[in-house]
Amino acid sequence: MKTKTLTRPLAALLTLAMGAGAAAAQVQIDKRRPASPAGQVRIDDSFGSIKVIGTDGKEVAVSGRLAAGAEGLEFDGDRQEISIDVRTPEAWSYGSEDDTDYRSDLEVRVPKGSSIEVRSLNASITITGVDGTVNAETVNGNISISGNPKSAQVNGVTGKIEISAASAEMQVENVSGPVILKGAARGAEVTTTSGSIDVAGRDLERVELKSTAGDIRFEGSFKGDGGVSIENFSGNVQLVVPAEAAARFKLSTFSGVIDSAMGLKPTRNARRSPYMELRFSTAETDFDVSVETYSGNISLRKMGEGKPGAAVAPAKKEGTE
Amino acid sequence: MRCDAMRALLDEHVDGTLEPPASVEVESHLASCPGCRAGERAIRSLKESAAALPEATDPRRDLWEGIATRLGGRKSFLRPALIAASMAAVLAGAGYMALIAPRNLSAPPAAVAVPATAAVPSPSSIPALNGADLAFLEARQELRTALYERKKTFSPETLRQVDQNLRIIENAIEEIRTAVARDPGNRKLQKMLISTRQREVALLRHVTQTADLQSR
């Protein structure tokens, strides 16, 4: 008992001393290089946070704090192609699951026309005001993109991905983290396994949303002769479209339920039971809206009806009333 | 060429529609990247499965005919049942479950010899595996091995989540396979099965390639 009483404060002091040492070893960064208005900027930083801001300037500027455990910051390249790389020691392992000493916080200012590529493991990534293409990849960190990037390609595993941008093309792949796209403008392609998908946009020409167990919500208008294609296994799907939406709707589920506010009632296919289907056209059009699930429920709503922005409302299973 | 750039090109590469110099770059990358090589093989297997879709109706019949031919015996009502019972007894112990069961990434993938031909019977009510199933399982095993080799890139919590999500897809695949066995002519179900398998392969590729990117 006595030993414990003595060792606890000692251990606390040691921890404090180590923490102070680490804090003392942190390095403030302030570096810059001239850059082309539409060049490429690559950022690699595994831990902490990365914030990229598009500006009217003609340089790439890196500021922030380099972690005590980082081996250094490489800031190289020419005006067309610049790379920023926070070096993590090779000996680092996930065994301890503690990345505290390796967390660097970077703020990177780039010409707004730049194309951005950001790669991380745990860091949260925020990108704002960039007009070029954006490519971001992280494992556990969250990713947030806003502004008007030409296109956005984002890959994650467990983190939340949120894009609030009028980007022409968005391509997102996540595993268990949720995906939220607001302002999708032309095409959007999202895949998850169990993460939920929430997509909202206007005048969309091509949308492809796929999940296995994550709920999917799509709210938007469309145009042209493309289509909206949604596939899910056990997750629910909610579709919210303008009352005057011109499309050919094809909704089908094997053991889920279809609940439609668009006038028609779904039918059960006796030959392939259990199999519920709803097909109808609202106009002479080549735009297809197709939803397929195995056991997930499908709900079709008109904009302005029901709770706006509500999460997927599961339709009632038959026989539950 | 980086792994993420490969993602966009692998389909075209497998289709043979990729023009040089991109095709040369892809070949060169594949020669040095096991993760992308496994991905390429997985795409080839899936495309072959998809091409074989209309024929994928009754896997059991192929199996019994193949076994009967190999045994040189006459077909009878009882013989397939007996063979099925004995093979199921053996496979239920290790082989079948090792083939289909979700495995934890914290343990090395079991060294399962995936049969190259015909189908594999399964215990009781679980549908037998046909050629397309086996091609997929082989691809999945390769990717799982590749991912296992890279598991140190991820935290135990991340691995747990990836495991959990692989299990979600694998359970979905088994559920759809069972539905296909009950309704073998249902093309919607068959398409859903292929699509769900593609999703598992895509998930394994995605996580494996993410690991490769992180370790560079």
Side-chain angles (χ1 to χ4, degrees):
Chain A
M1 287 297 283
K2 197 171 186 181
T3 318
K4 257 186 191 173
T5 320
L6 282 172
T7 50
R8 269 188 194 154
L10 275 174
L13 275 172
L14 189 64
T15 310
L16 273 173
M18 285 169 72
Q26 288 173 358
V27 178
Q28 289 298 319
I29 315 159
D30 189 5
K31 296 184 173 188
R32 54 198 68 224
R33 303 180 74 90
S36 156
Q40 189 172 16
V41 181
R42 267 177 60 178
I43 304 163
D44 278 75
D45 179 18
S46 292
F47 313 102
S49 67
I50 303 160
K51 190 170 184 182
V52 182
I53 302 167
T55 71
D56 291 324
K58 292 175 180 170
E59 63 177 15
V60 170
V62 188
S63 60
R65 184 189 60 83
L66 190 65
E71 279 185 340
L73 175 82
E74 286 177 10
F75 186 31
D76 294 322
D78 53 29
R79 290 169 61 90
Q80 291 300 325
E81 203 173 320
I82 290 174
S83 72
I84 299 158
D85 189 359
V86 175
R87 308 293 301 175
T88 304
E90 274 191 30
W92 185 85
S93 147
Y94 249 125
S96 68
E97 281 198 79
D98 183 6
D99 63 11
T100 312
D101 287 347
Y102 304 99
R103 288 183 199 153
S104 298
D105 296 314
L106 302 184
E107 184 171 299
V108 183
R109 291 178 175 270
V110 303
K112 65 181 177 189
S114 306
S115 288
I116 306 296
E117 201 177 309
V118 186
R119 208 165 66 188
S120 182
L121 194 59
N122 280 5
S124 63
I125 299 170
T126 307
I127 300 170
T128 57
V130 172
D131 296 344
T133 60
V134 168
N135 188 328
E137 178 147 340
T138 183
V139 178
N140 300 314
N142 297 334
I143 299 178
S144 167
I145 300 172
S146 58
N148 300 294
K150 197 184 289 175
S151 66
Q153 186 174 353
V154 181
N155 292 315
V157 178
T158 68
K160 177 181 176 183
I161 297 173
E162 186 162 9
I163 307 180
S164 309
S167 181
E169 299 291 339
M170 297 186 191
Q171 196 175 21
V172 182
E173 198 172 336
N174 210 357
V175 179
S176 57
V179 177
I180 301 167
L181 303 189
K182 292 174 194 158
R186 204 163 73 203
E189 198 181 316
V190 184
T191 308
T192 71
T193 301
S194 61
S196 61
I197 300 173
D198 192 344
V199 174
R202 284 174 59 187
D203 296 338
L204 286 150
E205 292 170 21
R206 199 178 57 263
V207 178
E208 200 177 304
L209 312 177
K210 289 182 183 175
S211 184
T212 304
D215 286 344
I216 298 177
R217 185 177 194 277
F218 170 81
E219 178 167 354
S221 60
F222 23 81
K223 67 171 189 181
D225 56 2
V228 173
S229 166
I230 301 176
E231 275 181 38
N232 211 335
F233 177 75
S234 58
N236 296 320
V237 176
Q238 188 180 50
L239 209 57
V240 184
V241 299
E244 68 282 2
R248 290 186 301 224
F249 288 85
K250 288 185 264 183
L251 319 178
S252 67
T253 177
F254 285 89
S255 57
V257 170
I258 299 172
D259 177 19
S260 171
M262 298 290 274
L264 296 170
K265 286 209 165 198
T267 55
R268 279 227 176 255
N269 187 330
R271 214 162 48 86
R272 297 235 182 271
S273 182
Y275 179 52
M276 195 181 255
E277 190 174 48
L278 175 57
R279 284 169 180 255
F280 63 94
S281 294
T282 52
E284 281 288 321
T285 173
D286 287 329
F287 195 96
D288 287 317
V289 176
S290 150
V291 182
E292 275 186 19
T293 74
Y294 185 84
S295 57
N297 296 323
I298 302 171
S299 160
L300 177 60
R301 293 274 167 271
K302 293 178 196 166
M303 276 182 192
E305 287 183 359
K307 284 184 196 168
V312 175
K316 280 179 187 159
K317 291 270 183 193
E318 280 188 343
T320 56
E321 286 180 303
Chain B
M1 182 179 282
R2 290 165 51 126
C3 294
D4 48 356
M6 285 289 294
R7 283 177 199 169
L9 300 177
L10 270 182
D11 267 323
E12 283 184 72
H13 171 71
V14 170
D15 288 341
T17 55
L18 201 60
E19 298 284 333
S23 60
V24 176
E25 277 191 62
V26 168
E27 286 291 352
S28 147
H29 181 89
L30 287 175
S32 64
C33 179
C36 288
R37 264 204 313 275
E40 185 218 12
R41 278 194 292 272
I43 291 174
R44 282 191 196 283
S45 297
L46 283 165
K47 283 190 188 286
E48 282 163 17
S49 302
L53 187 59
E55 285 81 42
T57 50
D58 189 357
R60 284 177 192 273
R61 196 189 307 151
D62 298 338
L63 170 72
W64 307 137
E65 283 178 1
I67 292 171
T69 306
R70 283 199 298 278
L71 291 176
R74 276 176 293 177
K75 289 176 211 169
S76 75
F77 178 75
L78 282 177
R79 185 175 286 272
L82 284 170
I83 297 167
S86 57
M87 282 192 76
V90 175
L91 289 161
Y96 179 82
M97 291 318 290
L99 276 173
I100 67 146
R103 285 174 293 275
N104 197 307
L105 290 173
S106 58
V112 179
V114 178
T117 55
V120 176
S122 54
S124 62
S125 60
I126 306 170
L129 303 173
N130 64 12
D133 295 329
L134 296 173
F136 159 74
L137 288 169
E138 199 167 10
R140 186 179 83 177
Q141 194 180 343
E142 269 187 58
L143 281 164
R144 271 187 167 271
T145 305
L147 180 55
Y148 175 76
E149 287 164 2
R150 291 154 179 77
K151 70 177 184 133
K152 280 188 179 169
T153 314
F154 302 115
S155 69
E157 173 54 21
T158 308
L159 281 178
R160 194 189 62 76
Q161 289 212 31
V162 171
D163 255 336
Q164 199 176 32
N165 280 273
L166 284 170
R167 206 162 293 135
I168 287 170
I169 300 182
E170 284 162 6
N171 289 339
I173 288 169
E174 281 312 294
E175 208 171 318
I176 301 169
R177 281 187 65 241
T178 306
V180 169
R182 281 199 298 261
D183 189 2
N186 193 322
R187 288 186 59 83
K188 266 186 183 288
L189 275 175
Q190 290 174 349
K191 276 170 69 183
M192 193 175 275
L193 180 59
I194 288 176
S195 168
T196 310
R197 284 177 166 167
Q198 281 170 336
R199 231 170 285 160
E200 181 173 12
V201 167
L203 169 59
L204 283 164
R205 270 180 64 203
H206 170 56
V207 181
T208 306
Q209 288 175 342
T210 301
D212 280 345
L213 283 175
Q214 298 302 336
S215 55
R216 281 180 191 175

